[in-house]
Amino acid sequence: MKNFNIKRFKCLLRWTYEHDRAEFVKSTLWGIIGMILCVVLIQWGQSHTETPNKVGMMAMLLGFLTAIVITGSNMHYCMKTRDDWRMLSVLPASNLEKFLARYASSLLMMVGVFVALAVADVTQYLVILVMNSEKAILLGNYFLHSSAFHMITDGSFAGNVGIASFVLMLHSCYLVGNNFFRNTKYGWVFPNLTLVLLGVLLGSLLAWLKPEFSAPAQFITALCLLVTVFNYWLAYRLFCRRQLIGKFVNL
């Protein structure tokens, strides 16, 4: 069997969508409800302050970045039982096609989070409009006119690439974690704990080397991109090694 065939991959994507559709709709609806409650409560609580939109905007921005970073941990959010994995294993497709199809499903979940953020923004606007029309504003529009957005747009291209490469690297780390740990229901928990531990160790090492350690921004960006490429390769290799019966980790 060829490693990748576009016609076979399209059929696999169609099967993946049909298999994940119910869980995707449920997760998106819960995400919309959660984001609406979060943003509306924040905006309502800040509606009488001098800067009522900053906290809500930061909540929306944090949700946006979080969706990008941890989406990798949702790669197998619909593969809850051994029967799901058995069904996937017998499909007439290569491991690469199956990996890409599962990853495409996680990207679709990312789109669902963005939809939840947009619905929450419109909802808080309508709620605040009814309560106090002078304070009503779309947080997305507020962000586009904020100093934070101008810092991004007016910043150097190399600096923005560096930030994007770091975010992509974190996303790939969650992708590795989701394929290393076999738990799919709480796929984000164990990668989070691992990254916190690694962050503490790396931070301690850098603090110890600080007087002698100095690296240009270009080196950091290149390193992040190299780690990202390695993480995608490692996630794929771990996915290929997954068995129907296994222990806590996928080795």
Side-chain angles (χ1 to χ4, degrees):
M1 180 181 293
K2 292 182 179 180
N3 207 29
F4 186 84
N5 180 282
I6 187 64
K7 293 183 178 179
R8 194 170 58 213
F9 182 60
K10 289 180 179 178
C11 294
L12 182 60
L13 283 178
R14 189 179 302 112
W15 178 89
T16 302
Y17 169 74
E18 293 174 353
H19 177 270
D20 297 359
R21 180 171 52 191
E23 187 67 25
F24 170 76
V25 171
K26 184 177 71 172
S27 300
T28 302
L29 289 177
W30 277 112
I32 290 175
I33 294 172
M35 287 304 305
I36 286 177
L37 292 176
C38 178
V39 177
V40 168
L41 288 176
I42 288 176
Q43 285 295 88
W44 177 76
Q46 298 287 316
S47 60
H48 300 294
T49 63
E50 295 182 358
T51 56
N53 301 308
K54 287 188 176 180
V55 178
M57 182 195 73
M58 292 304 297
M60 295 280 290
L61 183 60
L62 182 61
F64 182 83
L65 292 176
T66 301
I68 296 176
V69 170
I70 70 171
T71 297
S73 64
N74 292 327
M75 183 175 176
H76 306 309
Y77 69 98
C78 288
M79 309 299 290
K80 296 183 176 181
T81 66
R82 191 178 301 172
D83 289 337
D84 291 328
W85 286 104
R86 182 180 293 110
M87 188 181 303
L88 180 65
S89 66
V90 299
L91 289 176
S94 66
N95 285 329
L96 178 60
E97 291 163 351
K98 294 174 183 178
F99 176 81
L100 292 177
R102 292 307 321 155
Y103 185 60
S105 181
S106 70
L107 296 182
L108 184 62
M109 178 59 73
M110 183 191 295
V111 174
V113 176
F114 294 159
V115 170
L117 290 170
V119 173
D121 194 5
V122 173
T123 303
Q124 69 80 22
Y125 173 80
L126 296 176
V127 171
I128 302 300
L129 183 66
V130 173
M131 296 174 54
N132 187 348
S133 59
E134 296 180 356
K135 299 289 185 178
I137 187 173
L138 288 172
L139 294 174
N141 184 60
Y142 181 78
F143 174 71
L144 293 177
H145 292 86
S146 66
S147 57
F149 181 76
H150 289 295
M151 287 178 61
I152 298 174
T153 56
D154 297 338
S156 65
F157 176 77
N160 292 335
V161 170
I163 296 174
S165 64
F166 179 73
V167 172
L168 184 60
M169 182 191 69
L170 287 179
H171 171 83
S172 67
C173 289
Y174 280 92
L175 189 65
V176 171
N178 191 231
N179 285 279
F180 178 73
F181 298 104
R182 295 183 62 85
N183 187 291
T184 57
K185 185 176 182 180
Y186 303 104
W188 55 274
V189 174
F190 300 112
N192 266 339
L193 296 176
T194 304
L195 286 175
V196 169
L197 178 60
L198 291 177
V200 171
L201 294 175
L202 182 60
S204 301
L205 179 62
L206 291 179
W208 181 60
L209 296 175
K210 187 175 181 180
E212 297 81 16
F213 181 81
S214 178
Q218 293 83 354
F219 173 79
I220 300 298
T221 300
L223 181 61
C224 288
L225 292 176
L226 287 175
V227 172
T228 299
V229 173
F230 173 76
N231 283 344
Y232 273 90
W233 173 83
L234 181 59
Y236 169 66
R237 298 307 303 172
L238 290 171
F239 176 83
C240 293
R241 292 177 60 88
R242 190 178 186 102
Q243 303 295 323
L244 294 178
I245 300 176
K247 298 181 181 179
F248 178 68
V249 297
N250 185 32
L251 288 176

